[in-house]
């Protein structure tokens, strides 16, 4: 992998926990680019079609990784998706797993008009900590961070924590490059 001057951060979690909102809040302050995997899958045809029942793209993970590899290797991306275990560990510097209380998440998903099946699958995944477990199994636990995402205050705190982490990462890599 090429030497990077900016980190790659995965922002993951069950749909409805605030991944995209967090990424958008971090754009200006971190100088990282937002890589929405849903958008990439659609725009670069990294899918095997549309699942009518779940109202989502069936992502072809191999096509997806091929499509983003050159971009991600340069560094400086916030990768926004509900899964993280498909990304090579060498690409990633921090994995942020957003979590929400069940009642809050239920209301958010209901407001999106999710089908009962899709709503229940996502609620089960959150309750069973599926994405947190996937992150801990796919990456060194030292780079996996679990953050709550229930309130505006949580969002502000999460933005501050990630901003500080990105700045610390950049300083550590500048110092390492000059020694």
């Amino acid at each position: 992998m090429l030497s990077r001057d900016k980190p790659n951060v995965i922002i993951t979690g069950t749909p409805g926990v605030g991944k995209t909102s967090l990424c958008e809040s971090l754009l200006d302050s971190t100088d990282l680019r937002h890589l929405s995997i849903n958008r990439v899958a659609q725009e670069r045809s990294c899918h095997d079609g549309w699942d009518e029942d779940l109202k989502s793209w069936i992502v072809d993970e191999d096509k997806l990784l091929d499509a983003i590899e050159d971009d991600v290797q340069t560094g400086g991306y916030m990768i926004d998706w509900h899964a993280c275990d498909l990304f090579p560990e060498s690409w990633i510097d921090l994995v942020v797993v957003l979590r929400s209380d069940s009642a809050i998440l239920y209301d958010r998903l209901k407001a999106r008009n999710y089908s009962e099946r899709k709503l229940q699958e996502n609620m089960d995944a959150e309750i069973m900590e599926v994405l947190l477990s996937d992150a801990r199994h796919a990456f060194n636990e030292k780079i996996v961070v679990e953050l709550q995402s229930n309130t505006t205050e949580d969002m502000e705190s999460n933005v501050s924590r990630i901003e500080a982490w990105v700045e610390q990462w950049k300083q550590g890599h500048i110092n390492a490059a000059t020694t």
Side-chain angles (χ1 to χ4, degrees), residues 17-82:
V17 296
K19 298 177 297 293
T20 301
S21 297
L22 180 60
C23 287
E24 290 172 357
S25 296
L26 288 162
L27 282 174
D28 292 333
S29 62
T30 62
D31 198 29
L32 300 179
R33 292 160 289 192
H34 181 195
L35 187 63
S36 168
I37 296 302
N38 287 332
R39 189 175 313 126
V40 170
Q42 184 177 4
E43 291 174 358
R44 298 188 192 176
S45 298
C46 302
H47 59 80
D48 294 325
W50 180 256
D51 184 320
E52 191 58 44
D53 194 34
L54 291 176
K55 305 286 188 223
S56 64
W57 294 105
I58 303 165
V59 175
D60 181 320
E61 293 179 359
D62 290 330
K63 283 183 189 175
L64 172 71
L65 292 175
D66 287 344
I68 66 172
E69 181 175 11
D70 289 342
D71 293 333
V72 173
Q73 284 190 354
T74 64
Y77 281 94
M78 289 178 289
I79 302 170
D80 169 0
W81 205 33
H82 63 269

Side-chain angles (χ1 to χ4, degrees), residues 60-176:
D60 181 320
E61 293 179 359
D62 290 330
K63 283 183 189 175
L64 172 71
L65 292 175
D66 287 344
I68 66 172
E69 181 175 11
D70 289 342
D71 293 333
V72 173
Q73 284 190 354
T74 64
Y77 281 94
M78 289 178 289
I79 302 170
D80 169 0
W81 205 33
H82 63 269
C84 66
D85 55 349
L86 70 148
F87 301 104
E89 191 170 9
S90 62
W91 290 10
I92 306 303
D93 302 292
L94 179 68
V95 179
V96 176
V97 182
L98 295 179
R99 305 288 315 281
S100 289
D101 291 336
S102 298
I104 291 168
L105 182 60
Y106 181 87
D107 291 343
R108 290 175 184 170
L109 297 178
K110 198 72 169 163
R112 292 181 175 190
N113 294 317
Y114 277 17
S115 69
E116 193 58 38
R117 176 179 165 212
K118 188 171 182 175
L119 192 146
Q120 195 56 56
E121 282 182 13
N122 286 302
M123 292 301 300
D124 289 348
E126 182 67 12
I127 291 166
M128 301 300 292
E129 300 183 345
V130 170
L131 297 172
L132 179 61
S133 177
D134 288 350
R136 288 180 173 158
H137 284 94
F139 297 94
N140 184 320
E141 282 199 40
K142 292 178 184 177
I143 70 165
V144 177
V145 178
E146 176 185 5
L147 299 177
Q148 289 301 304
S149 184
N150 296 309
T151 64
T152 303
E153 291 78 17
D154 289 342
M155 175 71 79
E156 291 168 357
S157 173
N158 294 343
V159 166
S160 295
R161 286 184 67 177
I162 295 169
E163 287 171 342
W165 181 89
V166 168
E167 190 55 38
Q168 182 180 7
W169 187 95
K170 287 179 181 178
Q171 290 303 314
H173 283 75
I174 289 170
N175 294 339

